[in-house]
Amino acid sequence: MASDPSNNVSTKQFSIRPATYSELSTIANILTKAFWNDELFGNIIHPNRNVFPEDNDLYWLRRARVNWWDWSHVYLVSVIRDRDRAEGEAVIAGVAVWQRIGTLKKDMALNIFDPRRLAKPLAKVATDLQARIWPNRAADPGNEDIIERSYHYLDHMWTGKRADSWYLECLGVHPNFQRQGHGRALVRWGFQQAEMEGVSVSVISGDGKEEFYRRCGFETQDGWSGMGEGNPLRIAPGGLIYWKDVEYDAEGDIESK
Ligand SMILES: CC(C)(COP(=O)(O)OP(=O)(O)OC[C@H]1O[C@@H](n2cnc3c(N)ncnc32)[C@H](O)[C@@H]1OP(=O)(O)O)[C@@H](O)C(=O)NCCC(=O)NCCS
């Protein structure tokens, strides 16, 4: 069972593993804390977070409860084992949400008649209804969906040789555990998947996180989240798109390393 990470732990050992559905509340709270001082997720989307701090979690939780059922998404956690605690008890230090853009491999794609295809639309209806009854009071209602409204301005970036990509949709490490290697390990998972599948890796960098992503292996910068006339994300700082492209040899085959 994972617990809240605000308690100190005595060992730095950690591992990366898929999250469980029951961990989504903890994950939401970590993301709230990680992005508390971020201009986009903080001031622009959640200007009232100091008045309604718990409501900020709803932003992350509601999105997670919908996207969990989207089989192109993988929720990962970085977990610290605490040797001073009971066997099996662990602390979640960081979270990554990876999305496989493009053609899904057979082990991820659902058959067209698979009833699990209904899970995401049903979760969306339930979550939207809940949001109407119990709105996120920390958020600016005009900006709460600013990221979703910007998607179609960026779609053209994931075309051609970048049509297939492991995209790092979200990454956050609890402030108590930053600069201890959790972020890099959560990023490495996507690089390993991409290398096995011969596809690119991509991320939209938060403001000030460009150097972190370069250190993690992203080599090329191309595009930004506010591109395109009318894109609502023009007002947000940062948002540079980074890539680790697939390398092709002279014959157009993927270069093996
Ligand atoms: C950005 C973030 C995910 C980094 O995770 P982390 O676990 O603290 O980073 P790591 O310890 O794995 O750092 C890996 C390397 O990047 C460097 N690094 C980490 N954060 C950095 C930053 N903000 N600027 C420059 N370098 C940074 C580390 O010093 C380390 O360098 P090294 O190559 O010398 O070892 C984390 O700080 C965080 O959650 N921030 C708030 C939320 C956020 O901005 N997420 C990303 C949005 S796109």
Side-chain angles (χ1 to χ4, degrees), residues 34-35 38 171-173 177-185 203-206 208-209 211-213 215-216:
F35 286 98
D38 183 81
L171 174 69
V173 176
F177 302 119
Q178 290 179 4
R179 304 265 180 165
Q180 295 175 22
H182 295 281
R184 191 204 297 276
V203 67
I204 300 180
S205 174
K209 304 302 180 291
E211 179 59 24
F212 164 73
Y213 285 119
R215 282 172 187 251
C216 287

Side-chain angles (χ1 to χ4, degrees), residues 118-131:
L118 291 173
K120 185 180 176 184
L122 290 176
K124 177 94 173 79
V125 169
T127 305
D128 287 352
L129 188 65
Q130 193 196 40

Side-chain angles (χ1 to χ4, degrees), residues 42-190:
N43 291 338
I44 295 175
I45 298 181
H46 292 107
N48 306 317
R49 65 197 183 288
N50 286 309
V51 186
F52 302 107
E54 308 83 29
D55 280 29
N56 202 137
D57 288 17
L58 294 174
Y59 176 84
W60 299 106
L61 186 59
R62 286 175 177 156
R63 277 158 181 76
R65 283 185 174 160
V66 175
N67 285 333
W68 179 267
W69 303 107
D70 181 333
W71 303 95
S72 67
H73 283 73
V74 177
Y75 282 75
L76 294 179
V77 284
S78 178
V79 178
I80 303 175
R81 295 268 153 225
D82 182 356
R83 290 199 182 125
D84 294 343
R85 293 189 194 209
E87 185 69 25
E89 192 168 9
V91 171
I92 297 178
V95 180
V97 184
W98 283 97
Q99 184 187 7
R100 179 62 165 81
I101 292 177
T103 313
L104 294 186
K105 281 201 311 172
K106 277 211 173 98
D107 59 345
M108 287 185 87
L110 290 183
N111 181 291
I112 191 153
F113 300 113
D114 193 313
R116 287 175 297 171
R117 280 176 173 266
L118 291 173
K120 185 180 176 184
L122 290 176
K124 177 94 173 79
V125 169
T127 305
D128 287 352
L129 188 65
Q130 193 196 40
R132 275 175 184 256
I133 299 165
W134 183 8
N136 172 1
R137 295 163 300 173
D140 173 347
N143 281 340
E144 197 177 357
D145 63 347
I146 190 170
I147 293 180
E148 287 79 5
R149 282 189 285 118
S150 78
Y151 282 162
H152 71 275
Y153 292 93
L154 308 180
D155 283 346
H156 66 282
M157 296 301 299
W158 282 268
T159 52
K161 289 181 175 173
R162 291 169 171 168
D164 281 298
S165 185
W166 273 100
Y167 168 62
L168 182 55
E169 187 176 280
C170 181
L171 174 69
V173 176
H174 190 286
N176 289 359
F177 302 119
Q178 290 179 4
R179 304 265 180 165
Q180 295 175 22
H182 295 281
R184 191 204 297 276
L186 288 160
V187 172
R188 191 182 301 128
W189 183 92

